[in-house]
Amino acid sequence: MGIDPAQLSDEDVVRELRQLHATRSDTFFHGSDDALARHTSRTKELEAEYLRRFPDREVDPARLREGARQR
């Protein structure tokens, strides 16, 4: 279900991931078991594709353990 992430443009992968992350809570709390399973598998597919394309993605130092300690 859905287009193979490898066939999507970079912009489409990011857009799809943002949409999935925005709808995660509603799907988790209110979706059927099938909807949750599909949401989870699609998220994994797109996240894997994003990481394949951007292995050196920018990491916010505040999101690291050291950054959290400084807060």
Side-chain angles (χ1 to χ4, degrees), residues 6-22:
Q7 295 178 354
L8 296 172
S9 69
D10 291 350
E11 296 80 18
D12 288 339
V13 169
V14 171
R15 186 190 74 245
E16 291 287 321
L17 278 169
R18 289 189 188 284
Q19 180 61 29
L20 284 167
H21 284 268

Side-chain angles (χ1 to χ4, degrees), residues 27-64:
T27 305
F28 181 79
F29 287 112
H30 306 292
S32 67
D33 289 345
D34 288 342
L36 180 58
R38 183 61 194 137
H39 197 281
T40 300
S41 65
R42 184 64 173 168
T43 301
K44 286 181 180 181
E45 290 171 359
L46 288 161
E47 286 178 346
E49 181 62 22
Y50 182 89
L51 292 173
R52 184 188 72 74
R53 292 182 192 195
F54 304 103
D56 298 321
R57 73 194 192 285
E58 181 181 337
V59 175
D60 181 352
R63 301 291 303 203
L64 300 173

